[in-house]
């Protein structure tokens, strides 16, 4: 997709999510708004249980809001049925889950190639692209290993490669560097910078890591179901 830095990539208004399970309803997100431009990187911080994963799931079309709407690349997710939504996510969104969600039976290369296979690409081409991404996250030498043979941080890096392999417009990451040492995390940051600058990719990154948050263009705090701008440390 042709993207230009500064164009609106993600927009949501009045986003509300109430969970109706158990004896009482809990409203986790309450009339939240957010706009992210192409090429922009936004960090979301907030205490445990404040709703960060809930928010990413809504932004990524993995869950539906109780009220409000999410627009990505101009398209309202409300207008898409399940099949169309699946296709849209494959085309536009890269998702790095809080817990990596790799397929245990598949190797690192096969896992990273999967979104391209789903798209209908030939296995050989998809795996060549996957290997290029694995190289960028420092995992090329482990391409033939299955998740069970990899460390937590290595699995996380394979999950990052899988999220980026499709050249997504929007990348949503839930604690992407939680398991990574400083040097490896710096490599992932450099890759994100490159994608934001050269591919005008937009990022929304949930993190507890102050260094990762400070590296983004904006830091927003999720509190009481809404986002507010977090002032920069002097
Ligand atoms: N499917 C669900 N049903 C009911 N309640 C839920 C569900 N998913 C999340 N919650 C509740 O919503 C609140 C926010 O959860 P969420 O996972 O979004 O928090 P978080 O900010 O990502 O926390 P953490 O930093 O610990 O990952 C929590 O109180 C949680 O118990
Ligand atoms: Mg979470």
């Amino acid at each position: 997709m042709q993207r230009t830095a500064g164009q609106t990539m993600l927009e949501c208004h009045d986003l509300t999510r109430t969970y109706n399970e158990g004896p009482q309803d809990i409203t986790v997100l309450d009339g939240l708004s957010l706009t992210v431009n192409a090429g922009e990187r936004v960090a979301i911080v907030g205490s445990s249980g404040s709703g960060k994963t809930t928010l990413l799931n809504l932004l990524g079309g993995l869950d539906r809001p109780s009220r409000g709407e999410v627009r990505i690349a101009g398209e309202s997710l409300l207008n898409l049925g399940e099949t169309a939504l699946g296709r849209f996510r494959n085309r536009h969104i890269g998702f790095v889950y809080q817990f990596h969600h790799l397929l245990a039976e598949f190797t690192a290369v096969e896992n990273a190639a999967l979104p391209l296979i789903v798209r209908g690409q030939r296995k050989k081409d998809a795996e060549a692209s996957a290997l290029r991404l694995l190289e960028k996250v420092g995992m090329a030498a482990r391409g033939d290993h299955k998740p069970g043979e990899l460390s937590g941080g290595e699995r996380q890096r394979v999950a990052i490669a899988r999220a980026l392999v499709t050249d997504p417009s929007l990348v949503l990451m839930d604690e992407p560097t939680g398991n990574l040492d400083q040097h490896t995390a710096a490599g992932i940051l450099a890759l994100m910078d490159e994608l934001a600058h050269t591919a005008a990719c937009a990022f929304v990154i949930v993190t507890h890591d102050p260094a990762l948050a400070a590296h983004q263009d904006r830091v927003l705090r999720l509190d009481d179901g809404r986002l507010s701008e977090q002032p920069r440390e002097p």
Side-chain angles (χ1 to χ4, degrees), residues 48-49 51-54 98-99 174-175 206 208:
S48 178
K52 304 181 299 296
T53 297
T54 300
Q98 189 162 13
F99 307 100
D174 205 345
E175 290 287 354
V206 163
H208 286 289

Side-chain angles (χ1 to χ4, degrees), residues 10-42:
L10 166 71
E11 249 182 310
C12 60
H13 298 291
D14 194 28
L15 207 60
T16 299
R17 180 68 169 98
T18 302
Y19 289 115
N20 305 112
E21 281 150 65
Q24 73 199 63
D25 292 357
I26 45 166
T27 297
V28 177
L29 305 177
D30 191 5
L32 175 153
S33 297
L34 173 66
T35 302
V36 184
N37 293 335
E40 190 182 23
R41 292 156 303 158
V42 174

Side-chain angles (χ1 to χ4, degrees), residues 4-175:
T4 322
Q7 104 191 62
T8 303
M9 194 48 78
L10 166 71
E11 249 182 310
C12 60
H13 298 291
D14 194 28
L15 207 60
T16 299
R17 180 68 169 98
T18 302
Y19 289 115
N20 305 112
E21 281 150 65
Q24 73 199 63
D25 292 357
I26 45 166
T27 297
V28 177
L29 305 177
D30 191 5
L32 175 153
S33 297
L34 173 66
T35 302
V36 184
N37 293 335
E40 190 182 23
R41 292 156 303 158
V42 174
I44 297 195
V45 300
S47 52
S48 178
S50 59
K52 304 181 299 296
T53 297
T54 300
L55 174 60
L56 280 196
N57 287 344
L58 293 178
L59 299 183
L62 296 167
D63 182 23
R64 304 266 188 185
S66 311
R67 200 178 70 220
E69 112 176 306
V70 176
R71 298 181 81 86
I72 295 170
E75 178 81 58
S76 171
L77 302 190
L78 281 178
N79 295 334
L80 304 175
E82 285 309 310
T83 310
L85 184 60
R87 198 175 307 127
F88 185 85
R89 289 179 40 217
N90 180 268
R91 279 176 54 90
H92 289 286
I93 304 172
F95 207 111
V96 179
Y97 299 87
Q98 189 162 13
F99 307 100
H100 58 78
H101 289 308
L102 297 173
L103 298 179
E105 293 308 306
F106 288 8
T107 65
V109 166
E110 288 166 343
N111 265 290
L114 207 60
L116 295 175
I117 305 270
V118 167
R119 238 180 222 201
Q121 256 193 30
R122 291 199 348 234
K123 189 163 186 278
K124 192 162 151 272
D125 298 335
E127 291 191 352
S129 300
L131 199 56
R132 273 198 297 280
L133 258 304
L134 287 176
E135 236 158 64
K136 289 189 187 263
V137 297
M139 285 296 294
R142 307 300 299 278
D144 293 331
H145 290 242
K146 292 184 177 165
E149 300 154 356
L150 301 174
S151 75
E154 287 170 345
R155 286 177 209 166
Q156 194 64 349
R157 284 186 279 158
V158 175
I160 291 170
R162 178 184 56 184
L164 301 177
V165 77
T166 55
D167 181 30
S169 318
L170 173 68
V171 178
L172 305 170
M173 294 179 156
D174 205 345
E175 290 287 354

